Amino acid sequence: RNCATVLTLHQPRASIWRMLDDVMLMAPGGHVVYCGPTVDVLTYFQGLGHQCSLEGMNPAEFLIDLVSIDSEQADCASKDATRIRALAAAFRTCPDPAFSRLVELSVGSGTAANGHARVGAASAVGPWSAFRLLLWRSLVQSVRDRATNALRILASVGLSLIFGAHFGVLDRGGMPTARSVASRICLLSFGTIAMAMLATARALDRFAKESAVVSRERSAGAYSGIVYLAAKVLTELPTDAAFAGLFAVLVHRQCGLHADISEVACTMSLVAVASAALGLAVGAAAPRGDRAMAIGAPIMVVHMLTGVIDPAGQAAQRPTMAMLALRSLSPIRHAIEALCISELRGLKLARNAMDAPRMGGLALITSGDEVLRQLEVFGTFESNMWRIIGLIALHLVAAAVFLFIGALPRQVRIAGRPSDVELAAGQRWWRCLGLRRRRFG
């Protein structure tokens, strides 16, 4: 249509590349390393000693690799930073006067006192501004991902229907009996485990998908790990709580539980939040997504095993100190105890002696309080809620610590002086402490 078009592209395919008349190639930190006709870009970099040697390779991929920094390996990151610094310096000496103002904007505040362009350091953005940008990006991503949200709603509704079909209406809606005690405990236990496992898997999967982008942005000094964690907590954990609460309400309606529906929904929501926070901590500790999944799954299995309650009221052996410690760290355990207290405390049961051979001592009890004593479940509903909240705080603090450790400066030195990679990492370290970024070394 004979109209000028300006657009930003990241690694366009070859057919799109051939449609471009001019291209501006920018390196991390906003430094321009080329601006001119597209047909001349490969010749320009060939003159600087960087030749696209692979026949048939997409020029856009070659150029992206040329200005990318491998933040996973310190040695490669140092070499990449040196190469980009040389390319930026070569562009600053470009004889074309039309690019003079562009060079000034490119270098600007990104030039160090010694005249070298800083590579990998982003422009100064305050923690509050970075938090608002990350929060908005997370919200937009959550809203746009309609397919995933629809699937999560479908999963919550589908699981509740399966639970309702399996357990049915307890005691057929009549007076509670001792026979239904085991079913009530199993229903509450399996529901808690399901919500915990789903929330943890979701957190680990989302963290793994974002890991590469977040690592690149944090390596460029765009924001600290604490700011990133705060944005994720405010956007993702409430959705986990909402889906778990939806499941709890539907199960309560279908199975006719005795517990107050608000207490069941609150407990399921809190255990989902605690499990999602645990997923964030594991994701922050593991450098890669596959390792995070490998670590997170066994942890949740341990929480599940230490959290379940034997409906028969008979334990294989007295718990050891190690087992008691693991139980205190299991959000599943506290959630199941809270739900059992809410469901059984004050509940009157109809007794049937014919059930004794099959149910043991639980067949002769007449109240839910006796069941709780038999199961050795003490405390109150509120005390277990506070324990889960404490575990949420513990998991988030652990995630913040792991993100902080990951931001510590790497000891990379070139020719007896700190490299740009080390300097950028040092700036991230200071920002984690809430201090103002400054050039040092």
Side-chain angles (χ1 to χ4, degrees), residues 46-122:
Q46 183 177 355
L48 297 177
H50 303 283
Q51 183 176 0
C52 183
S53 58
L54 296 179
E55 183 178 357
M57 181 179 183
N58 183 2
E61 297 182 2
F62 165 74
L63 296 176
I64 292 296
D65 292 339
L66 197 61
V67 295
S68 297
I69 296 179
D70 185 0
S71 58
E72 297 295 331
Q73 301 182 20
D75 294 338
C76 294
S78 177
K79 294 178 181 179
D80 294 338
T82 302
R83 182 186 65 253
I84 294 175
R85 185 165 55 246
L87 293 176
F91 180 77
R92 290 198 303 272
T93 61
C94 179
D96 193 338
F99 298 151
S100 58
R101 178 55 181 164
L102 185 60
V103 172
E104 294 176 5
L105 294 176
S106 171
V107 179
S109 61
T111 304
N114 60 4
H116 292 290
R118 291 169 55 188
V119 177

Side-chain angles (χ1 to χ4, degrees), residues 3-192:
C3 62
T5 304
V6 179
L7 67 159
T8 60
L9 294 173
H10 176 72
Q11 204 165 348
R13 62 180 185 266
S15 60
I16 298 296
W17 174 260
R18 288 192 295 268
M19 299 172 60
L20 304 177
D21 298 316
D22 299 282
V23 61
M24 176 190 292
L25 183 61
M26 301 182 70
H31 306 293
V32 179
V33 298
Y34 177 81
C35 183
T38 305
V39 295
D40 297 335
V41 62
L42 295 182
T43 304
Y44 172 80
F45 285 111
Q46 183 177 355
L48 297 177
H50 303 283
Q51 183 176 0
C52 183
S53 58
L54 296 179
E55 183 178 357
M57 181 179 183
N58 183 2
E61 297 182 2
F62 165 74
L63 296 176
I64 292 296
D65 292 339
L66 197 61
V67 295
S68 297
I69 296 179
D70 185 0
S71 58
E72 297 295 331
Q73 301 182 20
D75 294 338
C76 294
S78 177
K79 294 178 181 179
D80 294 338
T82 302
R83 182 186 65 253
I84 294 175
R85 185 165 55 246
L87 293 176
F91 180 77
R92 290 198 303 272
T93 61
C94 179
D96 193 338
F99 298 151
S100 58
R101 178 55 181 164
L102 185 60
V103 172
E104 294 176 5
L105 294 176
S106 171
V107 179
S109 61
T111 304
N114 60 4
H116 292 290
R118 291 169 55 188
V119 177
S123 57
V125 177
W128 174 243
S129 298
F131 169 74
R132 288 187 300 169
L133 292 173
L134 287 172
L135 184 64
W136 176 251
R137 186 173 72 177
S138 298
L139 288 173
V140 171
Q141 182 179 3
S142 299
V143 172
R144 286 180 176 176
D145 200 358
R146 297 177 181 177
T148 301
N149 293 332
L151 289 175
R152 294 185 68 183
I153 294 176
L154 183 62
S156 298
V157 175
L159 281 176
S160 67
L161 293 176
I162 294 174
F163 271 69
H166 179 76
F167 290 97
V169 180
L170 298 174
D171 294 310
R172 298 181 179 180
M175 182 177 180
T177 62
R179 181 184 302 178
S180 68
V181 169
S183 297
R184 295 175 187 272
I185 296 176
C186 288
L187 170 61
L188 297 174
S189 299
F190 291 150
T192 300

